[in-house]
Amino acid sequence: MSSPESVRGSSTLPGPALLSDPYVAHHGTDAYSVSSYALELDYRLASNRLNGRALLHAVANRAASAVVLDLVGLRAVKVQFNGRRVRRFSQRAEQLVVHLDTALVPGESFTVEVRYEGNPAPRRGLWGEVGWEELTDGVLVAGQPDGAPSWFPCNDHPRDKASYRISVTTDAGYRAVCNGVLVGHTHGSSRETWTYAQEEPMATYLATVQIGRYDVLVLDDGSAGGVGQIAAVPPALADAAADGLSRQRDMMAAFVRRFGPYPFAGYTIVVADDVLEIPLEAQSLSILGRNHLSLDWESQRLIAHELSHQWFGNSLTLAAWHDIWLHEGFACYAEWIWSEEAGVMGAHERAASAWRGLSAGEQDLLVGDPGPALMFDDRVYKRGALALHALRRHCGDLAFFTLLQEWTRTHRHGSVSTADFVLMANRVAGVDAEAVLHPWLFELALPPLPV
Protein backbone atom coordinates (compact mmCIF):
# COMPACT_ATOMS: atom_id res chain seq x y z
CA MET A 1 0.00 0.00 0.00
CA SER A 2 1.22 3.47 -0.79
CA SER A 3 2.07 6.01 1.86
CA PRO A 4 -0.89 7.44 3.76
CA GLU A 5 0.29 10.91 2.76
CA SER A 6 -2.03 10.18 -0.19
CA VAL A 7 -4.70 7.86 1.39
CA ARG A 8 -7.97 6.65 -0.15
CA GLY A 9 -11.66 9.18 0.03
CA SER A 10 7.79 -19.24 4.19
CA SER A 11 6.87 -21.95 3.08
CA THR A 12 3.58 -23.58 2.15
CA LEU A 13 4.43 -26.68 4.15
CA PRO A 14 2.73 -26.93 7.54
CA GLY A 15 5.04 -25.47 10.14
CA PRO A 16 4.72 -24.25 13.71
CA ALA A 17 1.28 -23.30 14.96
CA LEU A 18 0.19 -19.82 13.92
CA LEU A 19 -0.94 -17.37 16.55
CA SER A 20 -3.77 -14.94 15.92
CA ASP A 21 -2.11 -11.62 15.15
CA PRO A 22 -2.74 -9.04 17.93
CA TYR A 23 -2.83 -6.21 15.37
CA VAL A 24 -5.83 -7.81 13.65
CA ALA A 25 -7.82 -9.18 16.56
CA HIS A 26 -9.78 -12.42 16.15
CA HIS A 27 -8.55 -13.04 12.60
CA GLY A 28 -6.63 -16.16 11.73
CA THR A 29 -6.21 -19.31 13.77
CA ASP A 30 -3.34 -21.46 14.95
CA ALA A 31 -5.26 -24.71 14.41
CA TYR A 32 -4.44 -25.37 10.75
CA SER A 33 -2.57 -24.17 7.65
CA VAL A 34 -4.21 -23.86 4.23
CA SER A 35 -2.26 -25.15 1.23
CA SER A 36 -4.72 -24.10 -1.51
CA TYR A 37 -7.95 -22.21 -2.16
CA ALA A 38 -10.26 -22.83 -5.11
CA LEU A 39 -12.80 -20.00 -5.37
CA GLU A 40 -15.77 -19.96 -7.75
CA LEU A 41 -17.60 -16.63 -7.71
CA ASP A 42 -20.79 -15.63 -9.51
CA TYR A 43 -21.33 -11.90 -9.25
CA ARG A 44 -24.10 -9.66 -10.60
CA LEU A 45 -23.14 -6.03 -10.82
CA ALA A 46 -26.59 -4.42 -10.83
CA SER A 47 -27.69 -6.06 -7.58
CA ASN A 48 -24.22 -6.43 -5.99
CA ARG A 49 -25.10 -10.10 -5.47
CA LEU A 50 -22.36 -12.66 -4.86
CA ASN A 51 -22.78 -16.43 -4.83
CA GLY A 52 -19.58 -18.26 -4.00
CA ARG A 53 -18.03 -21.67 -3.55
CA ALA A 54 -14.74 -21.99 -1.68
CA LEU A 55 -12.77 -25.25 -1.44
CA LEU A 56 -9.87 -25.24 1.00
CA HIS A 57 -7.17 -27.90 1.28
CA ALA A 58 -5.52 -27.70 4.69
CA VAL A 59 -3.44 -29.51 7.30
CA ALA A 60 -4.12 -29.50 11.04
CA ASN A 61 -1.39 -28.00 13.21
CA ARG A 62 -2.95 -29.14 16.47
CA ALA A 63 -5.90 -31.08 17.77
CA ALA A 64 -9.22 -29.31 17.22
CA SER A 65 -12.91 -30.20 17.35
CA ALA A 66 -13.91 -27.43 14.91
CA VAL A 67 -12.54 -25.57 11.90
CA VAL A 68 -12.86 -21.81 12.30
CA LEU A 69 -12.90 -19.64 9.17
CA ASP A 70 -13.05 -15.86 8.85
CA LEU A 71 -16.14 -14.68 6.94
CA VAL A 72 -17.75 -11.24 7.22
CA GLY A 73 -21.14 -10.06 5.97
CA LEU A 74 -21.91 -13.12 3.84
CA ARG A 75 -24.03 -16.15 4.74
CA ALA A 76 -22.80 -19.74 4.53
CA VAL A 77 -25.59 -21.92 3.12
CA LYS A 78 -23.87 -25.30 2.80
CA VAL A 79 -20.66 -26.76 4.23
CA GLN A 80 -18.85 -30.00 3.47
CA PHE A 81 -15.92 -31.52 5.35
CA ASN A 82 -13.83 -34.08 3.47
CA GLY A 83 -16.61 -34.32 0.89
CA ARG A 84 -19.40 -35.03 3.36
CA ARG A 85 -22.12 -32.58 4.28
CA VAL A 86 -21.76 -30.92 7.67
CA ARG A 87 -24.97 -30.55 9.66
CA ARG A 88 -23.53 -28.41 12.44
CA PHE A 89 -21.99 -25.09 11.48
CA SER A 90 -22.59 -21.64 12.85
CA GLN A 91 -21.69 -18.03 12.17
CA ARG A 92 -20.83 -15.68 14.99
CA ALA A 93 -19.38 -12.19 14.76
CA GLU A 94 -16.88 -12.46 11.88
CA GLN A 95 -16.32 -16.24 11.94
CA LEU A 96 -17.78 -19.38 10.44
CA VAL A 97 -17.39 -22.34 12.81
CA VAL A 98 -17.55 -25.82 11.30
CA HIS A 99 -18.18 -28.38 14.07
CA LEU A 100 -16.57 -31.80 13.52
CA ASP A 101 -17.84 -35.21 14.56
CA THR A 102 -14.26 -36.40 15.07
CA ALA A 103 -11.48 -34.10 16.27
CA LEU A 104 -8.57 -33.31 13.98
CA VAL A 105 -5.15 -34.56 14.99
CA PRO A 106 -1.86 -32.75 14.23
CA GLY A 107 -0.64 -33.43 10.70
CA GLU A 108 -4.04 -34.54 9.41
CA SER A 109 -4.98 -33.31 5.92
CA PHE A 110 -8.57 -32.24 5.29
CA THR A 111 -10.81 -30.26 2.94
CA VAL A 112 -13.58 -27.79 3.69
CA GLU A 113 -16.05 -26.64 1.05
CA VAL A 114 -18.31 -23.67 1.74
CA ARG A 115 -21.13 -22.39 -0.43
CA TYR A 116 -22.08 -18.86 0.53
CA GLU A 117 -24.03 -15.83 -0.67
CA GLY A 118 -24.90 -12.23 0.01
CA ASN A 119 -24.21 -8.62 -0.85
CA PRO A 120 -20.50 -8.07 -0.23
CA ALA A 121 -19.38 -4.82 1.37
CA PRO A 122 -16.12 -3.52 2.79
CA ARG A 123 -15.27 -4.03 6.44
CA ARG A 124 -15.17 -0.89 8.57
CA GLY A 125 -12.43 -0.65 11.16
CA LEU A 126 -9.29 1.16 12.31
CA TRP A 127 -8.05 1.54 8.73
CA GLY A 128 -11.26 2.77 7.15
CA GLU A 129 -13.12 0.52 4.72
CA VAL A 130 -11.24 -2.51 3.35
CA GLY A 131 -12.38 -5.46 1.28
CA TRP A 132 -14.92 -5.83 -1.53
CA GLU A 133 -16.02 -2.41 -2.76
CA GLU A 134 -18.34 -1.27 -5.54
CA LEU A 135 -16.93 1.25 -8.02
CA THR A 136 -18.96 3.55 -10.23
CA ASP A 137 -19.02 0.77 -12.82
CA GLY A 138 -17.33 -2.31 -11.46
CA VAL A 139 -15.61 -3.76 -8.40
CA LEU A 140 -12.38 -3.18 -6.51
CA VAL A 141 -11.01 -5.41 -3.75
CA ALA A 142 -8.49 -3.87 -1.35
CA GLY A 143 -7.73 -6.53 1.23
CA GLN A 144 -5.00 -5.05 3.40
CA PRO A 145 -4.97 -5.89 6.25
CA ASP A 146 -8.24 -7.72 7.03
CA GLY A 147 -10.52 -7.34 4.02
CA ALA A 148 -10.25 -10.87 2.60
CA PRO A 149 -13.16 -12.32 4.66
CA SER A 150 -15.49 -9.76 3.06
CA TRP A 151 -15.58 -11.95 -0.07
CA PHE A 152 -14.40 -15.49 0.77
CA PRO A 153 -14.06 -17.74 3.83
CA CYS A 154 -10.40 -18.05 4.81
CA ASN A 155 -7.75 -18.32 7.49
CA ASP A 156 -6.98 -14.61 7.51
CA HIS A 157 -3.42 -14.58 8.85
CA PRO A 158 -0.56 -13.07 6.77
CA ARG A 159 1.70 -15.99 7.55
CA ASP A 160 -0.72 -18.63 6.24
CA LYS A 161 0.19 -18.48 2.53
CA ALA A 162 -1.43 -20.74 -0.06
CA SER A 163 -1.90 -21.21 -3.79
CA TYR A 164 -5.15 -19.97 -5.39
CA ARG A 165 -7.43 -20.70 -8.31
CA ILE A 166 -10.07 -17.98 -8.72
CA SER A 167 -12.93 -18.18 -11.18
CA VAL A 168 -15.25 -15.20 -11.62
CA THR A 169 -18.50 -15.24 -13.60
CA THR A 170 -19.96 -11.79 -14.19
CA ASP A 171 -21.83 -9.62 -16.67
CA ALA A 172 -20.86 -9.78 -20.34
CA GLY A 173 -18.70 -6.87 -21.46
CA TYR A 174 -16.81 -6.76 -18.16
CA ARG A 175 -13.35 -8.16 -17.53
CA ALA A 176 -12.48 -9.77 -14.23
CA VAL A 177 -8.83 -9.47 -13.21
CA CYS A 178 -7.43 -11.62 -10.40
CA ASN A 179 -4.03 -12.73 -9.10
CA GLY A 180 -1.73 -14.86 -11.18
CA VAL A 181 -2.12 -16.12 -14.74
CA LEU A 182 -5.31 -16.10 -16.82
CA VAL A 183 -5.94 -19.78 -17.59
CA GLY A 184 -9.50 -19.68 -18.90
CA HIS A 185 -12.12 -17.38 -20.42
CA THR A 186 -15.56 -18.40 -21.63
CA HIS A 187 -18.52 -16.23 -22.57
CA GLY A 188 -22.18 -16.53 -23.40
CA SER A 189 -24.81 -14.03 -24.42
CA SER A 190 -25.03 -12.33 -21.03
CA ARG A 191 -22.31 -13.81 -18.79
CA GLU A 192 -18.55 -14.29 -18.97
CA THR A 193 -16.25 -16.42 -16.83
CA TRP A 194 -12.60 -15.57 -16.13
CA THR A 195 -10.31 -18.06 -14.38
CA TYR A 196 -6.89 -17.31 -12.87
CA ALA A 197 -4.24 -19.49 -11.24
CA GLN A 198 -1.86 -18.10 -8.63
CA GLU A 199 0.58 -20.94 -8.05
CA GLU A 200 3.04 -19.07 -5.83
CA PRO A 201 2.03 -18.96 -2.14
CA MET A 202 -0.06 -15.89 -1.30
CA ALA A 203 -1.38 -14.34 1.90
CA THR A 204 -5.15 -13.93 2.10
CA TYR A 205 -5.06 -10.11 2.18
CA LEU A 206 -3.24 -10.07 -1.18
CA ALA A 207 -5.98 -12.03 -2.99
CA THR A 208 -8.08 -9.76 -5.17
CA VAL A 209 -10.83 -9.41 -7.74
CA GLN A 210 -11.11 -6.37 -10.00
CA ILE A 211 -14.08 -6.05 -12.37
CA GLY A 212 -14.58 -3.35 -14.97
CA ARG A 213 -15.01 -2.50 -18.64
CA TYR A 214 -11.32 -3.03 -19.33
CA ASP A 215 -9.24 -3.44 -22.46
CA VAL A 216 -5.71 -4.85 -22.30
CA LEU A 217 -2.69 -2.66 -23.01
CA VAL A 218 0.61 -4.54 -23.43
CA LEU A 219 3.44 -2.76 -21.61
CA ASP A 220 6.10 -5.44 -22.22
CA ASP A 221 5.44 -8.70 -24.06
CA GLY A 222 8.52 -10.27 -22.51
CA SER A 223 9.99 -11.23 -25.88
CA ALA A 224 13.20 -9.28 -25.26
CA GLY A 225 13.87 -11.04 -21.97
CA GLY A 226 11.92 -8.69 -19.74
CA VAL A 227 8.99 -9.45 -17.48
CA GLY A 228 5.64 -9.71 -19.24
CA GLN A 229 3.53 -6.71 -18.21
CA ILE A 230 0.01 -5.64 -19.14
CA ALA A 231 -2.47 -3.00 -18.04
CA ALA A 232 -6.24 -3.47 -17.80
CA VAL A 233 -7.58 -0.05 -18.75
CA PRO A 234 -10.94 1.56 -19.53
CA PRO A 235 -10.91 2.29 -23.30
CA ALA A 236 -11.28 6.03 -22.74
CA LEU A 237 -8.07 6.03 -20.64
CA ALA A 238 -5.93 4.01 -23.07
CA ASP A 239 -3.83 6.96 -24.27
CA ALA A 240 -3.38 8.40 -20.78
CA ALA A 241 -2.34 4.97 -19.47
CA ALA A 242 0.16 4.42 -22.30
CA ASP A 243 1.74 7.77 -21.43
CA GLY A 244 1.61 7.47 -17.63
CA LEU A 245 2.96 3.91 -17.66
CA SER A 246 5.62 4.52 -20.31
CA ARG A 247 8.43 4.13 -17.75
CA GLN A 248 7.08 0.84 -16.44
CA ARG A 249 9.48 -1.36 -18.44
CA ASP A 250 12.52 0.65 -17.28
CA MET A 251 11.25 0.65 -13.71
CA MET A 252 10.88 -3.13 -13.73
CA ALA A 253 14.39 -3.58 -15.19
CA ALA A 254 15.88 -1.29 -12.52
CA PHE A 255 14.21 -3.18 -9.70
CA VAL A 256 15.29 -6.55 -11.10
CA ARG A 257 18.89 -5.27 -11.13
CA ARG A 258 18.63 -4.00 -7.57
CA PHE A 259 16.33 -6.55 -5.89
CA GLY A 260 16.84 -9.73 -7.88
CA PRO A 261 14.56 -11.67 -10.27
CA TYR A 262 10.91 -10.68 -10.43
CA PRO A 263 9.12 -13.28 -8.28
CA PHE A 264 5.99 -14.00 -10.35
CA ALA A 265 5.00 -15.07 -13.87
CA GLY A 266 3.94 -11.58 -14.93
CA TYR A 267 2.73 -8.21 -13.72
CA THR A 268 -0.63 -6.52 -14.27
CA ILE A 269 -1.71 -2.97 -13.56
CA VAL A 270 -5.44 -2.32 -13.28
CA VAL A 271 -6.53 1.27 -13.87
CA ALA A 272 -9.91 1.83 -12.26
CA ASP A 273 -12.21 4.31 -13.97
CA ASP A 274 -12.52 6.11 -10.63
CA VAL A 275 -10.43 8.56 -8.65
CA LEU A 276 -8.55 6.70 -5.89
CA GLU A 277 -6.66 8.44 -3.12
CA ILE A 278 -3.95 5.77 -3.10
CA PRO A 279 -2.91 2.96 -5.39
CA LEU A 280 -3.08 -0.56 -3.98
CA GLU A 281 -0.94 -3.65 -4.30
CA ALA A 282 -2.02 -7.25 -4.61
CA GLN A 283 0.08 -10.26 -5.52
CA SER A 284 1.22 -10.04 -9.16
CA LEU A 285 -0.80 -6.85 -9.76
CA SER A 286 -1.39 -3.28 -8.65
CA ILE A 287 -4.46 -1.06 -8.83
CA LEU A 288 -4.29 2.60 -9.81
CA GLY A 289 -6.95 5.26 -10.10
CA ARG A 290 -7.47 7.32 -13.24
CA ASN A 291 -5.76 10.14 -11.34
CA HIS A 292 -2.45 8.25 -11.10
CA LEU A 293 -1.54 8.32 -14.80
CA SER A 294 0.65 11.41 -14.77
CA LEU A 295 4.39 11.48 -15.49
CA ASP A 296 4.97 13.82 -12.55
CA TRP A 297 7.01 12.54 -9.62
CA GLU A 298 4.09 12.11 -7.24
CA SER A 299 2.36 9.63 -9.57
CA GLN A 300 5.55 7.90 -10.66
CA ARG A 301 6.73 7.35 -7.09
CA LEU A 302 3.41 5.67 -6.29
CA ILE A 303 3.71 3.43 -9.35
CA ALA A 304 7.24 2.48 -8.27
CA HIS A 305 6.08 1.91 -4.70
CA GLU A 306 3.40 -0.58 -5.73
CA LEU A 307 5.69 -2.43 -8.14
CA SER A 308 8.35 -2.89 -5.43
CA HIS A 309 5.77 -4.58 -3.20
CA GLN A 310 5.93 -7.59 -5.51
CA TRP A 311 9.27 -8.32 -3.83
CA PHE A 312 8.72 -6.67 -0.44
CA GLY A 313 5.28 -7.63 0.85
CA ASN A 314 4.05 -10.16 -1.70
CA SER A 315 6.91 -12.61 -2.28
CA LEU A 316 8.41 -11.81 1.14
CA THR A 317 5.45 -11.34 3.47
CA LEU A 318 5.65 -10.31 7.10
CA ALA A 319 4.96 -13.10 9.57
CA ALA A 320 3.25 -10.60 11.90
CA TRP A 321 1.79 -7.15 11.30
CA HIS A 322 4.07 -5.37 13.79
CA ASP A 323 6.82 -5.79 11.17
CA ILE A 324 4.91 -3.68 8.63
CA TRP A 325 8.06 -1.59 8.03
CA LEU A 326 9.45 -4.61 6.14
CA HIS A 327 6.79 -3.87 3.52
CA GLU A 328 6.30 -0.12 3.60
CA GLY A 329 9.79 1.04 4.58
CA PHE A 330 11.27 -1.07 1.79
CA ALA A 331 8.69 0.15 -0.75
CA CYS A 332 9.28 3.77 0.24
CA TYR A 333 13.03 3.25 -0.19
CA ALA A 334 12.32 1.69 -3.60
CA GLU A 335 10.76 5.05 -4.58
CA TRP A 336 14.08 6.73 -3.75
CA ILE A 337 16.04 4.07 -5.64
CA TRP A 338 13.87 4.65 -8.71
CA SER A 339 14.33 8.41 -8.33
CA GLU A 340 18.08 7.80 -8.38
CA GLU A 341 17.96 5.34 -11.28
CA ALA A 342 15.73 7.63 -13.35
CA GLY A 343 17.99 10.63 -12.78
CA VAL A 344 15.30 12.61 -10.98
CA MET A 345 16.98 13.05 -7.59
CA GLY A 346 19.54 11.04 -5.64
CA ALA A 347 18.46 8.71 -2.86
CA HIS A 348 20.42 10.71 -0.30
CA GLU A 349 18.62 13.90 -1.28
CA ARG A 350 15.30 12.08 -0.90
CA ALA A 351 16.46 10.79 2.49
CA ALA A 352 17.49 14.27 3.62
CA SER A 353 14.11 15.67 2.63
CA ALA A 354 12.28 12.89 4.50
CA TRP A 355 14.51 13.38 7.56
CA ARG A 356 13.77 17.10 7.68
CA GLY A 357 10.04 16.40 7.54
CA LEU A 358 10.25 13.84 10.33
CA SER A 359 12.44 16.07 12.50
CA ALA A 360 9.74 18.73 12.49
CA GLY A 361 7.09 16.33 13.79
CA GLU A 362 6.43 14.37 16.97
CA GLN A 363 8.84 11.61 18.01
CA ASP A 364 6.40 9.22 19.66
CA LEU A 365 6.23 6.18 17.37
CA LEU A 366 8.23 2.94 17.39
CA VAL A 367 8.50 2.08 13.71
CA GLY A 368 9.37 -1.53 14.50
CA ASP A 369 6.16 -1.99 16.51
CA PRO A 370 3.83 0.96 15.80
CA GLY A 371 0.62 -0.57 17.14
CA PRO A 372 -2.44 -1.41 15.04
CA ALA A 373 -3.90 2.10 14.88
CA LEU A 374 -0.65 3.56 13.49
CA MET A 375 0.64 0.68 11.37
CA PHE A 376 0.06 2.73 8.20
CA ASP A 377 1.33 6.01 9.66
CA ASP A 378 3.55 7.88 7.20
CA ARG A 379 6.42 7.74 9.73
CA VAL A 380 6.53 3.94 9.34
CA TYR A 381 7.16 4.48 5.62
CA LYS A 382 9.65 7.32 5.82
CA ARG A 383 11.58 6.30 8.90
CA GLY A 384 11.62 2.68 7.74
CA ALA A 385 13.17 3.88 4.48
CA LEU A 386 15.68 5.97 6.42
CA ALA A 387 16.68 2.87 8.41
CA LEU A 388 17.56 1.17 5.13
CA HIS A 389 19.39 4.26 3.90
CA ALA A 390 21.43 4.31 7.11
CA LEU A 391 22.35 0.67 6.55
CA ARG A 392 23.30 1.41 2.94
CA ARG A 393 25.51 4.33 3.95
CA HIS A 394 27.10 2.19 6.65
CA CYS A 395 28.03 -0.81 4.51
CA GLY A 396 28.27 0.68 0.98
CA ASP A 397 26.30 0.05 -2.20
CA LEU A 398 27.88 -3.26 -3.17
CA ALA A 399 27.20 -4.91 0.19
CA PHE A 400 23.75 -3.30 0.53
CA PHE A 401 22.35 -4.42 -2.82
CA THR A 402 23.97 -7.83 -2.45
CA LEU A 403 22.07 -8.05 0.83
CA LEU A 404 18.74 -7.11 -0.80
CA GLN A 405 19.20 -9.72 -3.51
CA GLU A 406 20.12 -12.40 -1.00
CA TRP A 407 17.15 -11.36 1.15
CA THR A 408 14.68 -11.80 -1.72
CA ARG A 409 16.33 -15.02 -2.93
CA THR A 410 16.54 -16.81 0.42
CA HIS A 411 13.00 -15.94 1.56
CA ARG A 412 11.28 -16.05 -1.85
CA HIS A 413 7.55 -16.74 -1.36
CA GLY A 414 8.05 -17.08 2.39
CA SER A 415 7.35 -15.28 5.67
CA VAL A 416 9.88 -12.90 7.24
CA SER A 417 10.58 -10.88 10.37
CA THR A 418 12.84 -8.02 11.41
CA ALA A 419 15.04 -10.51 13.26
CA ASP A 420 15.47 -12.47 10.01
CA PHE A 421 16.62 -9.30 8.23
CA VAL A 422 19.08 -8.34 10.95
CA LEU A 423 20.66 -11.79 10.95
CA MET A 424 21.00 -11.78 7.18
CA ALA A 425 22.46 -8.26 7.14
CA ASN A 426 25.04 -9.31 9.73
CA ARG A 427 26.05 -12.28 7.60
CA VAL A 428 25.90 -10.85 4.09
CA ALA A 429 26.99 -7.24 4.69
CA GLY A 430 29.40 -8.06 7.50
CA VAL A 431 28.12 -5.29 9.77
CA ASP A 432 26.43 -5.00 13.15
CA ALA A 433 23.00 -4.40 11.62
CA GLU A 434 21.31 -4.35 15.02
CA ALA A 435 23.40 -1.36 16.07
CA VAL A 436 22.55 0.50 12.85
CA LEU A 437 18.84 -0.31 12.66
CA HIS A 438 17.76 -0.32 16.32
CA PRO A 439 17.72 3.50 16.82
CA TRP A 440 15.56 3.92 13.71
CA LEU A 441 13.13 1.13 14.50
CA PHE A 442 12.95 0.77 18.28
CA GLU A 443 13.78 4.17 19.78
CA LEU A 444 11.51 7.21 19.82
CA ALA A 445 14.13 9.91 19.18
CA LEU A 446 14.96 10.49 15.51
CA PRO A 447 18.61 9.56 14.85
CA PRO A 448 20.86 11.98 12.93
CA LEU A 449 20.67 11.95 9.15
CA PRO A 450 23.02 9.22 7.82
CA VAL A 451 26.15 10.75 6.28
Side-chain angles (χ1 to χ4, degrees):
M1 184 184 291
S2 299
S3 169
E5 66 184 356
S6 339
V7 217
R8 178 177 181 164
S10 120
S11 168
T12 57
L13 297 176
L18 306 179
L19 298 176
S20 185
D21 194 298
Y23 275 38
V24 184
H26 312 302
H27 274 237
T29 174
D30 62 355
Y32 62 90
S33 299
V34 181
S35 60
S36 69
Y37 291 86
L39 306 178
E40 296 177 5
L41 310 177
D42 189 292
Y43 181 69
R44 297 185 180 275
L45 286 153
S47 58
N48 183 39
R49 184 69 179 180
L50 176 65
N51 288 276
R53 171 183 175 269
L55 177 63
L56 288 67
H57 286 80
V59 176
N61 288 326
R62 59 175 173 83
S65 59
V67 175
V68 180
L69 299 166
D70 299 297
L71 184 63
V72 181
L74 299 169
R75 184 175 71 92
V77 294
K78 181 180 178 181
V79 177
Q80 290 187 318
F81 180 81
N82 288 339
R84 301 183 64 178
R85 185 161 185 169
V86 174
R87 298 297 178 185
R88 294 191 305 132
F89 63 89
S90 57
Q91 288 186 254
R92 61 190 188 200
E94 299 187 344
Q95 295 178 328
L96 167 64
V97 181
V98 181
H99 303 279
L100 307 179
D101 293 332
T102 304
L104 290 166
V105 297
E108 181 180 351
S109 298
F110 64 92
T111 63
V112 178
E113 179 183 326
V114 181
R115 294 183 182 271
Y116 59 100
E117 63 185 17
N119 301 103
R123 296 187 71 255
R124 292 175 174 84
L126 284 174
W127 312 282
E129 295 187 340
V130 296
W132 186 287
E133 182 174 349
E134 294 179 87
L135 295 173
T136 303
D137 187 21
V139 166
L140 176 153
V141 170
Q144 189 176 15
D146 61 353
S150 72
W151 63 284
F152 71 102
C154 58
N155 185 18
D156 193 27
H157 192 296
R159 187 172 160 185
D160 195 14
K161 303 177 75 171
S163 63
Y164 283 72
R165 186 178 181 90
I166 305 174
S167 178
V168 181
T169 299
T170 191
D171 303 39
Y174 289 80
R175 176 180 291 269
V177 183
C178 304
N179 313 89
V181 177
L182 178 65
V183 295
H185 175 217
T186 60
H187 53 86
S189 58
S190 62
R191 309 286 285 162
E192 297 190 42
T193 300
W194 305 81
T195 303
Y196 292 80
Q198 174 62 77
E199 300 295 343
E200 297 87 359
M202 177 168 68
T204 49
Y205 83 88
L206 292 168
T208 195
V209 174
Q210 310 293 320
I211 300 174
R213 297 181 187 270
Y214 297 134
D215 288 343
V216 171
L217 173 67
V218 177
L219 304 175
D220 188 341
D221 63 10
S223 61
V227 176
Q229 302 174 67
I230 62 172
V233 181
L237 295 177
D239 290 343
D243 188 43
L245 300 174
S246 60
R247 303 301 308 276
Q248 188 66 45
R249 181 185 299 192
D250 294 337
M251 194 181 289
M252 177 70 79
F255 286 172
V256 167
R257 285 195 304 272
R258 291 306 199 181
F259 307 148
Y262 180 73
F264 304 108
Y267 183 57
T268 299
I269 293 178
V270 177
V271 180
D273 197 9
D274 280 47
V275 171
L276 305 182
E277 290 187 33
I278 59 168
L280 309 159
E281 84 273 8
Q283 189 152 305
S284 78
L285 62 90
S286 296
I287 304 97
L288 310 179
R290 61 183 300 145
N291 52 309
H292 297 130
L293 297 177
S294 168
L295 283 172
D296 64 23
W297 171 246
E298 182 60 21
S299 292
Q300 292 300 303
R301 78 164 186 89
L302 294 172
I303 292 170
H305 184 108
E306 303 311 330
L307 173 58
S308 73
H309 273 310
Q310 301 307 320
W311 287 266
F312 309 114
N314 301 353
S315 177
L316 279 67
T317 308
L318 47 70
W321 283 111
H322 66 256
D323 279 329
I324 186 66
W325 86 276
L326 289 174
H327 294 190
E328 303 303 350
F330 277 66
C332 182
Y333 198 61
E335 300 173 23
W336 303 353
I337 290 172
W338 171 242
S339 176
E340 191 169 67
E341 293 275 342
V344 178
M345 182 186 291
H348 189 66
E349 287 76 14
R350 294 283 180 199
S353 175
W355 186 91
R356 287 192 296 270
L358 289 171
S359 68
E362 295 184 3
Q363 313 298 320
D364 60 356
L365 180 72
L366 293 180
V367 171
D369 192 3
L374 296 177
M375 63 190 287
F376 299 115
D377 190 286
D378 190 53
R379 291 170 290 179
V380 173
Y381 295 63
K382 296 293 195 302
R383 190 157 159 169
L386 281 165
L388 292 172
H389 189 64
L391 186 61
R392 178 182 178 184
R393 302 290 280 193
H394 185 76
C395 66
D397 277 13
L398 178 60
F400 179 75
F401 288 110
T402 299
L403 165 62
L404 292 192
Q405 293 187 28
E406 183 66 13
W407 177 238
T408 62
R409 185 192 68 81
T410 300
H411 295 285
R412 186 178 175 93
H413 305 313
S415 301
V416 294
S417 67
T418 298
D420 294 331
F421 183 68
V422 169
L423 288 173
M424 180 163 287
N426 290 343
R427 177 174 62 82
V428 175
V431 298
D432 184 352
E434 170 74 15
V436 177
L437 295 174
H438 190 278
W440 294 97
L441 303 178
F442 298 107
E443 295 178 11
L444 294 178
L446 182 69
L449 178 69
V451 294

